[in-house]
Amino acid sequence: MRLWRSLKSWRQFSVGPVALFYRFGRRVPVSNNRRRQPQRIKADCASPLTPPDSALSIHAAYESERDASTETALIVGVGPGYGFELARRFAASGMRVALASRNAERLDDLVDELSADGGQVNAYGCDATDERSVAALLATVTAELGAPHLVVYAVQGFCPGTVMGTEVPAFEESWRQNCLGGFIVARAAARMMVPLGRGSIILTGSTSSLIGREDHLNLAVGKFGLRALAQVLAREVWPSGIHVAHVVIDADVKDSDVFEAGYTQAEPRHLADAVFGLHRQPRTAWTSEMDFRPWNEKFWQHC
């Protein structure tokens, strides 16, 4: 164990003025779920990448996206509870839904469920911390389902530890999942949406987005950064018609049908409704940040 921890530390090999930095680490497995034949959707209108030519066409594009059946949603980081309910909510509205996870095959049951209900849903393998993987994801989703109108970043990685007890590899890995991946996904989405003059990018935070609690260093640093990203990006792209919002979930989120009496949990279906509501806000009353918790929750008591 000590040897492996040592190998994961960054090392430097110098040749004159050039230095090669490297470290050992476990390869992140990404399942592309190739055995599932993706459903291809042909748009009834012009290419989704054709930018509007005037303020009038921008307004027309905005009005047309009120019909959810013309929209595509992409969720990056789909897991039981919050991620699953986002998928169900978006599919129920009529949106085409793309689900991204490192292991796309574990989403087969959810895809089957939503497809059986008439939804147009595909699952894709993606490592959100790898910009080439994200670029490939956006290209494939656009080709198969259309350019996303809504992108939700829902990845969260957490390894408990104190400042003095946390090693650099653990700190870096949590930061990559909680912050770097959000930057890569949001940047790619913004670059696609700005020429179109429409779209929503929603980044999912937690209590640790605002409060640095003991033993929560790895989560707090990344989530603080994700919140900063949302604030900066909102100021940069709101004028282009792109709604960027940050949501703080100050609660444990229910991820199964098991309910413990007296234990406070947020209902993911209601969180999904709220996120969809953010996407549907009129341009004259956009929200930049919302915090969610159950009515009987003590404020700022979770991670």
Side-chain angles (χ1 to χ4, degrees), residues 31-40 97-99 103-116 119-125 140 144-145:
S31 166
N32 289 319
N33 203 11
R34 295 185 183 278
R35 64 185 178 81
R36 177 180 294 279
Q37 294 297 320
Q39 183 178 11
R40 298 182 179 273
V97 182
L99 311 176
N103 183 358
E105 292 183 356
R106 69 183 179 85
L107 302 176
D108 281 351
D109 289 345
L110 179 62
V111 171
D112 290 340
E113 170 197 326
L114 299 180
S115 298
Q120 299 172 341
V121 184
N122 289 346
Y124 304 89
T140 304
E144 296 180 359
L145 299 176

Side-chain angles (χ1 to χ4, degrees), residues 184-262:
I184 293 172
V185 170
R187 183 187 64 175
R191 286 175 173 175
M192 177 174 288
M193 291 176 176
V194 165
L196 305 177
R198 56 90 178 133
S200 301
I201 301 171
I202 298 177
L203 306 176
T204 306
S206 67
T207 309
S208 288
S209 300
L210 291 86
I211 297 174
R213 186 173 289 110
E214 63 273 13
D215 296 327
H216 289 71
L217 171 71
N218 291 334
L219 185 60
V221 168
K223 290 299 185 181
F224 264 65
L226 188 71
R227 187 182 186 222
L229 166 68
Q231 293 181 1
V232 172
L233 186 60
R235 285 165 170 79
E236 293 178 352
V237 301
W238 273 31
S240 299
I242 315 305
H243 186 187
V244 178
H246 178 252
V247 298
V248 177
I249 301 178
D250 180 34
D252 285 337
V253 179
K254 183 179 176 183
D255 62 3
S256 70
D257 293 331
V258 178
F259 180 77
E260 183 179 341

Side-chain angles (χ1 to χ4, degrees), residues 5-261:
R5 286 201 298 263
S6 175
L7 290 174
K8 290 194 295 182
S9 298
W10 284 102
R11 300 168 184 272
Q12 177 179 338
F13 176 74
S14 300
V15 180
V18 179
L20 171 66
F21 292 88
Y22 69 96
R23 68 178 177 85
F24 292 91
R26 292 187 177 88
R27 184 177 64 86
V28 175
V30 176
S31 166
N32 289 319
N33 203 11
R34 295 185 183 278
R35 64 185 178 81
R36 177 180 294 279
Q37 294 297 320
Q39 183 178 11
R40 298 182 179 273
I41 309 297
K42 292 184 178 180
D44 294 329
C45 52
S47 168
L49 296 180
T50 302
D53 295 326
S54 65
L56 180 61
S57 62
I58 290 176
H59 179 72
Y62 167 71
E63 290 302 322
S64 68
E65 67 182 33
R66 297 303 89 189
D67 178 5
S69 65
T70 68
E71 296 184 325
T72 298
L74 168 61
I75 309 167
V76 179
V78 182
Y82 179 63
F84 279 31
E85 291 304 327
L86 286 174
R88 292 184 176 110
R89 179 64 181 87
F90 299 160
S93 75
M95 301 176 83
R96 301 182 290 266
V97 182
L99 311 176
S101 173
R102 286 179 174 178
N103 183 358
E105 292 183 356
R106 69 183 179 85
L107 302 176
D108 281 351
D109 289 345
L110 179 62
V111 171
D112 290 340
E113 170 197 326
L114 299 180
S115 298
D117 290 336
Q120 299 172 341
V121 184
N122 289 346
Y124 304 89
C126 177
D127 177 5
T129 66
D130 182 339
E131 58 182 319
R132 289 173 297 181
S133 183
V134 171
L137 170 68
L138 265 294
T140 304
V141 169
T142 298
E144 296 180 359
L145 299 176
H149 297 72
L150 169 61
V151 174
V152 180
Y153 188 76
V155 175
Q156 178 164 304
F158 177 46
C159 178
T162 64
V163 174
M164 292 186 291
T166 297
E167 298 178 353
V168 170
F171 178 92
E172 183 178 10
E173 180 59 26
S174 292
W175 168 78
R176 289 176 65 85
Q177 295 181 44
N178 295 314
C179 186
L180 178 63
F183 161 71
I184 293 172
V185 170
R187 183 187 64 175
R191 286 175 173 175
M192 177 174 288
M193 291 176 176
V194 165
L196 305 177
R198 56 90 178 133
S200 301
I201 301 171
I202 298 177
L203 306 176
T204 306
S206 67
T207 309
S208 288
S209 300
L210 291 86
I211 297 174
R213 186 173 289 110
E214 63 273 13
D215 296 327
H216 289 71
L217 171 71
N218 291 334
L219 185 60
V221 168
K223 290 299 185 181
F224 264 65
L226 188 71
R227 187 182 186 222
L229 166 68
Q231 293 181 1
V232 172
L233 186 60
R235 285 165 170 79
E236 293 178 352
V237 301
W238 273 31
S240 299
I242 315 305
H243 186 187
V244 178
H246 178 252
V247 298
V248 177
I249 301 178
D250 180 34
D252 285 337
V253 179
K254 183 179 176 183
D255 62 3
S256 70
D257 293 331
V258 178
F259 180 77
E260 183 179 341

